[in-house]
Amino acid sequence: MPALAADEFEQPPIDYSRSTPKNSVVRLQGAFEQGKSLGWDAEQGYLPALLHELKISPATQMLVFSKTSLQRDRISPRTPRAIYFNDDVYVGYCVGGETLEVAAADPQLGAVFYTLDQTEGKAPRLERQTHRCLQCHVVADSTPIPGFLVRSLFTSPSGQPILSEGSHRVDHATPIADRWGGWYVTGTHGEQTHLGNQLIRDRKASRPWPNDDGHNVVDLTGRLRTENYLTPHSDIVALLVFEHQTHVHNLIAQANFAARQAMYYEAALNKALGEPEDHRLESTTRRIASAGDKLVAGLLFAGEAPLTHPIVGTSAFTQEFQQAGPRDSQGRSLRDLDLTTRLFKYPCSYLIYSPAFDALHPAMKSYVGQRFRDILAGQGGAEFAHLSPADRQAIAEILYQTKHDLWSSE
């Protein structure tokens, strides 16, 4: 019978650090090894060319000024870290930084981390990082996994987090009022409040600390040298999508790990006890259901924090994001944004099309598919009461045309 370790993901069947990732970053590194070059920019080094190769738009740019990453000494309110992303890959850039930080949502391993040396003339190499990045990037919602972490916290004028005041780990359920501490935010959001664009200069002032000049900011001039970055934005809509996406990437990885580990444990126990190979343990069923239910809830935005006023970004992100992805015969897409009362017009995550979702263990994929069919038929219970009959019908119709395998999973 396999033994369980504190980091179960480092044991079979996951073998996180010893397994070979298969993702777009690995494929790009393979091209480098075959002699592919990467353009060099005098200002941002390899950043523009890397984003181009990974098909990441500069419009996804978000700026975080809290000292909370590998190159923390390079980060401050005057020199924030920039983050760019697409559906599967995240890239971090620091002004004057020695490396670019890259993370991929690997279909079998969850979050996998890389660095790219920013030395001119040196052959580009995306080098995998394990221990150094996992010191911060192990997510422990239930069983710990390597994951993506988005935090909101109070920050001093130097960029130092004020940890004594606590922090929020952010996903789509986090109230807007608790988001974006330590981040720049550009865009309008009406009377909704948040913690973005705020530096705590007087820690003795009464709480809550006022953030009057941090709201509805559309221009960061005066706060930093925006010319040091690919765009002058830290778009509010990109932030909202990013927070949802990182959360669901973690849920997909947790669900896949849980199913693979449960089936591995079951096979070992059945062999030890002389049971048939297909003998299903009750613990396997429970573990798949527990992780699967969390994934379904995340995909369908259960508990999503409401928007009370319209959200408008400052960059091309909103338009670019909505243009990607499949549409049904009525022109509807799971990437259509609402931005008035909720993030998406049709509250079902576009990550249901992702390679990571497609790579779910068959037992998990079958469970998730059945739960989707039940919920969209109106059998979801109170947790999914936010889905109106019109929502359920639209999501079902879109998925039936664009993700039909969800209806045939067994």
Side-chain angles (χ1 to χ4, degrees), residues 6 31 57 83 97 107 136 144 149 159 162 208 232 264 272 282 307 335 342 362:
S57 169
I83 299 175
C136 294
L149 186 63
I162 306 175
Y264 179 81
E282 203 174 306
L307 303 179
R335 300 177 81 94
R342 61 192 184 192

Side-chain angles (χ1 to χ4, degrees), residues 46-342:
Y46 285 126
L47 176 64
L50 180 65
L51 296 184
H52 175 76
E53 293 295 337
L54 292 172
K55 298 180 172 59
I56 298 176
S57 169
T60 63
Q61 179 178 285
M62 303 163 295
L63 300 174
V64 54
F65 55 79
S66 62
K67 294 179 179 292
T68 50
S69 84
L70 188 65
Q71 301 181 82
R72 60 190 310 276
D73 291 341
R74 299 282 185 180
I75 301 170
S76 75
R78 299 294 296 179
T79 57
R81 177 179 178 234
I83 299 175
Y84 307 87
F85 68 101
N86 60 19
D87 290 5
D88 302 300
V89 182
Y90 306 88
V91 174
Y93 163 78
C94 292
V95 175
E98 297 176 353
T99 63
L100 294 175
E101 303 160 44
V102 183
D106 189 89
Q108 291 298 331
L109 298 178
V112 180
F113 304 94
Y114 304 85
T115 55
L116 177 64
D117 193 321
Q118 281 272 69
T119 302
E120 184 178 7
K122 189 173 183 179
R125 177 172 179 78
L126 288 154
E127 184 175 357
R128 186 180 176 188
Q129 303 292 331
T130 52
H131 175 72
R132 186 161 59 152
C133 291
L134 293 184
Q135 292 181 64
C136 294
H137 282 277
V138 173
V139 178
D141 287 335
S142 51
T143 303
I145 65 160
F148 304 103
L149 186 63
V150 183
R151 296 173 67 194
S152 172
L153 34 74
F154 296 102
T155 306
S156 74
S158 68
Q160 192 68 37
I162 306 175
L163 298 178
S164 61
E165 294 295 330
S167 66
H168 302 278
R169 188 172 149 210
V170 179
D171 58 35
H172 66 241
T174 306
I176 299 299
D178 293 331
R179 299 196 198 191
W180 307 322
W183 297 74
Y184 284 120
V185 183
T186 59
T188 57
H189 46 82
E191 296 179 8
Q192 295 169 110
T193 63
H194 60 77
L195 303 178
N197 305 317
Q198 183 181 35
L199 299 175
I200 306 305
R201 301 183 186 280
D202 182 4
R203 295 177 60 176
K204 296 181 180 180
S206 60
R207 281 36 162 205
W209 283 305
N211 191 26
D212 297 339
D213 65 350
H215 296 144
N216 295 298
V217 172
V218 296
D219 186 353
L220 294 175
T221 302
R223 300 174 190 254
L224 68 147
R225 292 176 61 86
T226 57
E227 59 269 27
N228 288 336
Y229 298 87
L230 296 181
T231 85
H233 309 287
S234 186
D235 192 282
I236 189 172
V237 182
L239 282 159
L240 288 166
V241 171
F242 170 74
E243 290 156 351
H244 161 72
Q245 180 173 297
T246 52
H247 175 56
V248 173
H249 272 155
N250 290 342
L251 292 175
I252 291 173
Q254 286 173 330
N256 202 18
F257 282 24
R260 291 168 61 193
Q261 290 162 340
M263 298 297 284
Y264 179 81
Y265 176 87
E266 178 181 273
L269 190 59
N270 283 343
K271 182 177 181 179
L273 298 178
E275 297 283 359
E277 289 184 3
D278 61 354
H279 175 65
R280 178 51 46 90
L281 295 178
E282 203 174 306
S283 60
T284 301
T285 300
R286 286 198 307 268
R287 192 167 182 182
I288 289 173
S290 176
D293 286 343
K294 291 177 182 177
L295 173 56
V296 170
L299 289 167
L300 291 174
F301 290 84
E304 179 184 11
L307 303 179
T308 59
H309 293 78
I311 299 282
V312 180
T314 56
S315 75
F317 176 83
T318 298
Q319 180 180 3
E320 290 183 3
F321 177 82
Q322 294 182 108
Q323 288 175 341
R327 293 188 175 272
D328 70 1
S329 58
Q330 298 184 48
R332 297 174 298 186
S333 168
L334 296 183
R335 300 177 81 94
D336 289 342
L337 295 162
D338 177 86
L339 301 177
T340 301
T341 61
R342 61 192 184 192

